[in-house]
Amino acid sequence: MGKRFLHQLLAVVLALFVSPARSGDWLPATATFYGGANGSDTMGGACGYSDLYEQGYGINNAALNTALFNDGASCGQCYVIICDSSKTGWCKPGNNWVVVYATNFCPPNWDLPAGGELPAAGCAGIIPVLYQRVKCWKSGGVRFTIAGFNGFYMVLITNVVGSGSIQSMAMKGSNTDWIPMYRNWGANWHCLSGGLVGQGLSFALVSIGGQNLVFKDVVPEWWQFEQTFTTYQNFDD
């Protein structure tokens, strides 16, 4: 199972981390894989990205444990993972690493020891790794997908570079003041407001790294629910 995992590491990863990452630190964790090499079992997920190919995340992705997922605040973040050769003899020789996007949540299995998380190395299919959070690199600007109905608006944020995720957000209609939005689930943010249909929309985002960007008039007045709007701005934090 160890060799199989390492050969498939570039395809599909389910990483369960023991503690939140600090930039520049290598932290110990355990990982396993799920689904087939085509990534079909990783589509969708708790971040709300649906088709990971279409959203630009591909199949180099990870489902995070409870602490690291942080109720969706880590959706879109990037992590580099290497096999921990100090704890297993199954690591492939050479400097092998993979960068994955956080796109899903792996809930605890309470039938396992250690509070439902994966135990230390020694179980088949469970591999000791080292990881750290790194800057995300993607092409193009931040994308906004609008769902909901008149009075309830939910916006999915995708293609975030830099720190990869958003800590706060607001929306403004062409005839309104700024309206605070709140994380609904994963990378989806919502607000309650009447009359935004038929107005152009702007967004103000603060990344998890603290950078503030305003996306002015990125959604035209003729927008409809379930549409996605691409911008030319992105983060560099």
Side-chain angles (χ1 to χ4, degrees):
M1 291 290 284
K3 288 184 177 178
R4 184 184 176 194
F5 169 79
L6 293 175
H7 286 304
Q8 291 196 358
L9 186 57
L10 287 170
V12 181
V13 175
L14 167 61
L16 297 184
F17 303 112
V18 295
S19 60
R22 300 180 298 275
S23 179
D25 292 342
W26 285 103
L27 297 176
T30 51
T32 187
F33 62 90
Y34 67 102
N38 65 358
S40 60
D41 294 318
T42 71
M43 297 297 114
C47 288
Y49 293 141
S50 187
D51 188 325
L52 297 177
Y53 291 108
E54 183 178 306
Q55 300 292 0
Y57 295 98
I59 56 175
N60 283 5
N61 55 74
L64 307 182
N65 74 347
T66 303
L68 199 54
F69 187 72
N70 193 20
D71 293 327
S74 296
C75 286
Q77 292 181 3
C78 297
Y79 299 87
V80 60
I81 301 175
I82 60 173
C83 184
D84 188 352
S85 59
S86 69
K87 294 182 179 179
T88 180
W90 289 104
C91 293
K92 187 177 179 180
N95 185 22
N96 294 283
W97 52 271
V98 61
V99 175
V100 296
Y101 293 101
T103 63
N104 206 350
F105 170 58
C106 183
N109 179 352
W110 298 110
D111 292 329
L112 293 174
E117 304 291 5
L118 288 183
C123 298
I126 300 175
I127 307 301
V129 297
L130 297 170
Y131 78 100
Q132 62 175 280
R133 187 159 67 86
V134 295
K135 187 172 182 177
C136 295
W137 298 94
K138 298 175 73 66
S139 61
V142 175
R143 300 171 189 159
F144 301 88
T145 301
I146 305 174
F149 49 86
N150 195 16
F152 175 82
Y153 306 90
M154 190 157 66
V155 180
L156 173 67
I157 309 299
T158 56
N159 208 58
V160 178
V161 303
S163 56
S165 56
I166 301 302
Q167 65 169 294
S168 63
M169 177 178 175
M171 179 168 66
K172 182 183 184 303
S174 52
N175 298 319
T176 72
D177 293 327
W178 286 103
I179 304 166
M181 301 192 75
Y182 304 93
R183 189 182 303 279
N184 189 284
W185 64 279
N188 288 282
W189 296 73
H190 81 273
C191 71
L192 300 174
S193 180
L196 287 176
V197 174
Q199 296 188 44
L201 303 177
S202 302
F203 300 97
L205 274 59
V206 180
S207 71
I208 203 75
Q211 186 179 358
N212 192 329
L213 283 182
V214 175
F215 299 79
K216 184 175 175 57
D217 299 326
V218 294
V219 177
E221 295 179 354
W222 44 261
W223 67 269
Q224 296 180 2
F225 291 109
E226 309 304 328
Q227 286 184 307
T228 298
F229 298 90
T230 301
T231 72
Y232 297 98
Q233 292 176 267
N234 220 316
F235 295 90
D236 57 15
D237 54 352

